[in-house]
């Protein structure tokens, strides 16, 4: 199969009008934090058990079309001895891989960050492909402050995302491009809109310069939200602000926009997606999810590391996946919770 056909097939398998992506790609420090909250130690075996529980949830493939995995998970097996990427694909959930590493301060731009991991990425991706990964994900992180992100920060981060995406596509791997403007700040929704618009503008400029095929990528942005220290915005306000920014910056050739949840609670993230789809019904892209916490948190709190809670935890995951699927068509209502 040519790389072009591989890319097209993966997009067709991942993008439709009712499913979304499950982000289960927490790095070791992040999963340790999530497990600590439920008093579970982050051992390789516990991570395997948890991620196997997620991917073997009966019916999950009705609502989830792709899952982002961490490197370790690609080589782990479920209880029946099947490799987890194959377990996912049994339910028509396309397995993918997080390839970004940690972040570091960006020299010359105090307050801005840059993500590491580009060295040797091509070789790594070839290995991940043999393990079943058909798409990849790279996240750049943008904290908001009075002078951040700086123009240099926006440009350098966009360049990284574009170089990563071009490498992926050369190898027939669909890139998820994730520029995350953080919520953990004190800004209002207007400032988030301003920054997100600048960031996405720089990202699509860089993608164009690096000849990235927009038809064969997925954008994973933040919603436009006030910082956590501010009052919470209503879903219709979030939807209007988010769609305004996306319409100004994201070309219609991009097939799907899959939001991260970014620290919103699970019901808030579903309500916001619902309003975005109600208001954006005529948008040129699918408007979907690539949630980590907002899909996993209720299941994690139900599981608390105990085998006897596994089935209930899977039901909790399935409920969030189903409600977010309803939100894809604007049919979610908080009374369904
Ligand atoms: C922003 O984080 C991504 C989406 O998760 P949320 O919906 O919870 O915001 C997520 O895919 C993230 O990139 C991974 O969990 C990896 O994060 P770390 O911080 O471990 O690299």
């Amino acid at each position: 199969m040519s790389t072009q056909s591989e890319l097209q097939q993966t997009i067709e398998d991942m993008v439709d009008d009712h499913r979304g992506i499950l982000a289960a790609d927490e790095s070791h420090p992040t999963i340790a934090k999530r497990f600590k909250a439920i008093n579970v130690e982050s051992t390789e075996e516990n991570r395997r058990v948890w991620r196997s529980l997620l991917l073997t949830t009966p019916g999950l493939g009705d609502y989830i079309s792709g899952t982002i995995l961490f490197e370790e998970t690609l080589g782990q097996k479920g209880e029946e001895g099947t490799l987890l990427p194959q377990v996912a694909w049994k339910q028509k959930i396309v397995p993918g891989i997080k390839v970004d590493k940690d972040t570091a301060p960006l020299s010359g731009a105090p307050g801005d960050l840059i993500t590491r991991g580009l060295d040797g990425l091509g070789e790594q991706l070839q290995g991940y492909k043999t393990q079943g990964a058909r798409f990849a994900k790279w996240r750049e992180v943008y904290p908001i402050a009075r002078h951040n992100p700086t123009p240099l920060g926006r440009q350098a981060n966009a360049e990284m995302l574009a170089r990563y995406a071009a490498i992926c596509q050369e190898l027939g791997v669909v890139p998820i491009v994730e520029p995350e403007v953080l919520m953990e700040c004190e800004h209002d929704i207007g400032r988030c809109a301003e920054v997100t618009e600048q960031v996405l503008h720089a990202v699509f400029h860089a993608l164009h310069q690096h000849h990235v095929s927009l038809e064969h990528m997925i954008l994973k942005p933040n919603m436009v939200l006030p910082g956590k220290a501010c009052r919470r915005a209503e879903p219709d306000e979030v939807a209007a602000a988010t769609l305004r920014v996306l319409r100004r910056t994201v070309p219609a050739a991009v097939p799907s926009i899959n939001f991260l949840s970014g620290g919103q609670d699970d019901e808030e993230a579903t309500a916001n997606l619902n309003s975005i789809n109600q208001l954006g019904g005529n948008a040129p892209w699918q408007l979907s999810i690539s949630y980590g916490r907002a899909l996993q948190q209720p299941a994690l709190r139900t599981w608390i590391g105990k085998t006897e809670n596994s089935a209930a935890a899977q039901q909790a995951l399935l409920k969030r996946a189903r409600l977010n699927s309803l939100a894809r068509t604007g049919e979610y209502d908080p009374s369904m919770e």
Side-chain angles (χ1 to χ4, degrees):
M1 210 195 256
S2 68
T3 52
Q4 194 69 11
S5 317
E6 279 183 307
L7 292 171
Q8 184 59 32
Q9 188 59 55
T10 301
I11 287 292
E12 285 171 20
D13 288 340
M14 291 180 72
V15 178
D16 60 31
D17 60 5
H18 61 286
R19 298 190 297 164
I21 296 171
L22 165 66
D25 61 323
E26 299 84 0
S27 59
H28 289 333
T30 305
I31 195 75
K33 198 158 67 175
R34 307 272 185 267
F35 277 5
K36 193 169 178 214
I38 54 163
N39 283 319
V40 171
E41 197 188 341
S42 179
T43 61
E44 186 176 347
E45 175 59 7
N46 285 341
R47 294 190 294 270
R48 185 195 68 77
V49 169
W50 171 241
R51 286 163 172 163
S52 168
L53 179 157
L54 295 175
L55 298 174
T56 54
T57 298
L60 192 65
D62 293 343
Y63 310 116
I64 297 294
S65 63
T67 182
I68 315 171
L69 303 174
F70 189 66
E71 185 178 21
E72 166 187 86
T73 315
L74 288 181
Q76 289 179 326
K77 293 178 177 167
E79 306 311 328
E80 288 165 12
T82 308
L83 286 160
L84 290 178
Q86 292 170 19
V87 168
W89 184 236
K90 270 191 189 166
Q91 297 213 58
K92 295 285 177 255
I93 298 173
V94 179
I97 177 74
K98 164 192 166 79
V99 292
D100 55 274
K101 304 290 182 234
D102 56 348
T103 56
L106 176 63
S107 303
D112 287 339
L113 300 170
I114 194 88
T115 299
R116 297 192 268 215
L118 215 52
D119 285 351
L121 178 60
E123 293 75 35
Q124 275 172 15
L125 276 173
Q126 276 162 341
Y128 295 148
K129 260 187 99 172
T130 63
Q131 292 182 285
R134 295 171 57 196
F135 71 92
K137 190 211 77 171
W138 182 289
R139 175 168 61 134
E140 291 292 333
V141 181
Y142 303 79
I144 297 185
R146 187 151 174 228
H147 299 293
N148 297 96
T150 62
L152 172 62
R154 295 196 298 268
Q155 195 214 329
N157 280 278
E159 192 68 16
M160 291 296 273
L161 285 166
R163 287 175 64 194
Y164 139 81
I167 294 169
C168 286
Q169 289 189 342
E170 231 167 51
L171 296 168
V173 174
V174 165
I176 295 189
V177 172
E178 182 180 1
E180 180 182 12
V181 176
L182 291 180
M183 279 174 75
E184 276 95 25
C185 315
E186 292 183 4
H187 53 271
D188 62 14
I189 191 168
R191 174 77 175 131
C192 181
E194 178 185 46
V195 169
T196 304
E197 184 173 335
Q198 290 170 334
V199 162
L200 290 177
H201 182 73
V203 167
F204 280 97
H205 180 64
L207 291 169
H208 174 72
Q209 287 187 314
H210 285 260
H211 308 292
V212 171
S213 163
L214 300 182
E215 289 80 358
H216 299 118
M217 61 161 277
I218 290 172
L219 179 70
K220 176 168 175 170
N222 53 284
M223 292 177 185
V224 174
L225 299 162
K228 276 189 184 154
C230 287
R231 78 165 173 88
R232 197 151 135 174
E234 292 302 319
D236 53 353
E237 196 185 348
V238 172
T242 302
L243 286 164
R244 189 180 311 117
V245 166
L246 295 177
R247 287 194 170 113
R248 287 177 177 181
T249 53
V250 184
V254 173
S256 189
I257 296 176
N258 291 57
F259 296 101
L260 57 92
S261 58
Q264 300 176 68
D265 77 39
D266 44 300
E267 294 181 21
E268 178 190 6
T270 307
N272 284 337
L273 180 75
N274 192 61
S275 283
I276 287 172
N277 274 293
Q278 282 178 341
L279 199 65
N282 61 352
W285 343 268
Q286 296 294 324
L287 291 161
S288 185
I289 59 165
S290 177
Y291 291 166
R293 282 162 286 183
L295 279 174
Q296 292 188 48
Q297 279 303 332
L300 202 57
R301 285 193 293 262
T302 306
W303 176 56
I304 55 169
K306 294 190 175 11
T307 314
E308 61 268 31
N309 295 337
S310 298
Q314 290 182 326
Q315 284 312 306
L317 171 68
L318 197 67
K319 177 181 170 188
R320 292 263 50 91
R322 184 174 57 78
L323 293 179
N324 279 296
S325 176
L326 285 172
R328 294 284 323 270
T329 45
E331 290 168 285
Y332 163 80
D333 188 280
S335 65
M336 295 167 174
E337 294 289 351

